[in-house]
Amino acid sequence: MTGPDNGSLTSVSWPRLPAIAVLGLVAFASFSGKHSAWLADCLAILLGYTLAQAGLCLSQKTAWFKHASQRWAILALSVVLALFAGLRVEAVFWPALTTGHASWLLPAILLAFILATVLPAAIDLEIRQRTQASLAAEASKHKIERQMLEAKLAALQGQIEPHFLFNTLANTRALIHQDANQAEQMLNHLIAYLRAAMPDMRLTTTTLGQELDRAAAYLQIFQIRLGSRFQFSVQADKDVRACLIPPLAIMSLVENAIKHGIEPQPGEVRIDIHARCEGGTLHVAVRDNGRGFQNELGSGVGLLNVQERLLALFGEQAELRLSPRQTGGVDAELILPARTRAQT
């Protein structure tokens, strides 16, 4: 348990007014010839309360006392001192009246008054101390967990960036040997694409619209290589495009479809990307009519990376589904909570 936070314990204050009242009664008793039982009892009770409250303030507002046992020990000592001082002050100023009391009466009154006034405040302050310590520990735990998550996401992001760039540049290099003019055109598209894409690669999330635009640009680059036999479509409503998604998540599915499905498949091939929201859940499907499931499908860096990032960001709320299509090819679907920047 951490030490007290002096700024938050505003309900406990030093007993200035009771102390002034005690001094006033002592002065009145010293210079007045009138000695009465009620005046003696009032002085004893006020002095006892003043010392007990001062002990409570000392235990709560002093940084030395970091543990509850220390604070309760200081409070207990102050209560004992308050009882002793209350009894002594009445015996000193009114010795004749002291003998008129039963021996247990004044200590009982003093103790009852102190416990009724100081003890509830002490218990309330200790509850606050424990609550503050618990909240601080929980906040520290969440901060550490968030830092670990951010480090993990940064590592995963750093893993997929070179993977994505390598595949893109490999496609460009392959085209150089086929058509130099088209290779130059592809490089121009690639430079423009990377200029738009690179600032978002280091972010934890990006909008679906930005991710779909990048996927469309990448497929346009790839279309230069395959020519008219390759077609694609990208469909998503405007409100769906505002949802957040991990950067390059769709690109990983697109690359996987091209590498394992589209490139090995002769004839006309296509990739369709469709996004929709249902009941607060975002569904993003990447469908191809390529070669379909093979032994190596899903064993690369891209899909494993997507699965790990979804788990790190959304836990069990998100998943990646891969399923064969009846007409050939693969359906890859991202399912995650539909969130926008305004909701984060």
Side-chain angles (χ1 to χ4, degrees):
M1 183 172 177
T2 59
D5 181 2
N6 295 345
S8 65
L9 300 176
T10 56
S11 61
V12 58
S13 59
W14 294 99
R16 295 183 179 87
L17 291 178
I20 294 173
V22 168
L23 293 177
L25 287 176
V26 169
F28 177 78
S30 300
F31 296 101
S32 174
K34 296 181 180 180
H35 293 173
S36 59
W38 70 266
L39 190 61
D41 291 340
C42 286
L43 180 57
I45 291 173
L46 275 175
L47 180 59
Y49 169 76
T50 301
L51 293 176
Q53 181 70 12
L56 175 62
C57 293
L58 180 66
S59 65
Q60 295 291 337
K61 292 194 173 187
T62 303
W64 295 342
F65 310 125
K66 296 182 178 181
H67 300 285
S69 58
Q70 294 174 321
R71 292 192 289 272
W72 282 111
I74 294 299
L75 181 60
L77 289 175
S78 66
V79 170
V80 172
L81 179 61
L83 287 173
F84 176 79
L87 295 173
R88 288 298 301 165
V89 74
E90 187 166 355
V92 169
F93 284 94
W94 296 279
L97 295 176
T98 304
T99 57
H101 289 300
S103 59
W104 55 268
L105 182 58
L106 184 57
I109 294 174
L110 282 172
L111 185 60
F113 185 82
I114 291 171
L115 293 181
T117 55
V118 177
L119 186 60
I123 294 174
D124 178 66
L125 290 170
E126 283 301 326
I127 292 174
R128 292 190 188 187
Q129 293 283 359
R130 292 181 181 275
T131 302
Q132 290 174 3
S134 177
L135 292 175
E138 193 70 18
S140 178
K141 178 182 176 181
H142 287 318
K143 182 179 180 181
I144 293 174
E145 289 177 349
R146 181 174 181 83
Q147 289 173 344
M148 293 177 63
L149 175 60
E150 290 174 351
K152 180 179 180 180
L153 289 173
L156 291 171
Q157 198 78 349
Q159 182 185 35
I160 199 172
E161 288 167 14
H163 173 76
F164 159 71
L165 293 175
F166 172 79
N167 287 347
T168 307
L169 292 173
N171 289 332
T172 306
R173 183 184 63 181
L175 187 61
I176 290 176
H177 301 288
Q178 301 174 13
D179 190 325
N181 291 330
Q182 281 193 337
E184 182 180 2
Q185 183 181 358
M186 180 181 281
L187 282 175
N188 291 333
H189 287 310
L190 179 60
I191 291 170
Y193 168 77
L194 292 177
R195 183 178 292 115
M198 288 299 291
D200 289 337
M201 285 186 175
R202 290 291 181 182
L203 299 177
T204 303
T205 56
T206 187
T207 64
L208 176 63
Q210 292 171 313
E211 186 73 359
L212 291 177
D213 291 342
R214 284 193 284 269
Y218 178 80
L219 291 172
Q220 287 174 343
I221 293 173
F222 189 77
Q223 194 174 44
I224 295 177
R225 179 180 174 185
L226 293 186
S228 60
R229 83 179 188 94
F230 173 66
Q231 301 296 324
F232 70 91
S233 67
V234 179
Q235 299 177 0
D237 293 336
K238 183 177 180 181
D239 56 337
V240 177
R241 293 173 65 90
C243 294
L244 297 179
I245 192 170
L248 302 181
I250 296 177
M251 284 301 311
S252 298
L253 302 184
V254 169
E255 284 186 325
N256 189 78
I258 289 175
K259 180 179 179 181
H260 299 289
I262 297 300
E263 282 188 320
Q265 180 76 1
E268 294 186 356
V269 288
R270 68 178 293 115
I271 291 178
D272 296 295
I273 304 175
H274 181 259
R276 71 186 193 281
C277 284
E278 290 183 0
T281 302
L282 175 64
H283 297 259
V284 184
V286 178
R287 302 183 176 95
D288 70 82
N289 66 341
R291 188 172 58 167
F293 275 116
Q294 302 295 324
N295 292 334
E296 72 272 16
L297 184 63
S299 61
V301 172
L303 295 185
L304 294 177
N305 189 288
V306 171
Q307 290 173 332
E308 290 185 14
R309 284 194 292 162
L310 288 176
L311 181 62
L313 285 171
F314 304 104
E316 300 298 328
Q317 294 179 294
E319 62 177 314
L320 169 61
R321 295 177 181 174
L322 299 175
S323 57
R325 303 183 67 187
Q326 293 181 350
T327 57
V330 173
D331 276 350
E333 187 174 15
L334 288 173
I335 303 173
L336 61 155
R339 299 174 184 170
T340 63
R341 297 202 186 278
Q343 296 172 329
T344 57

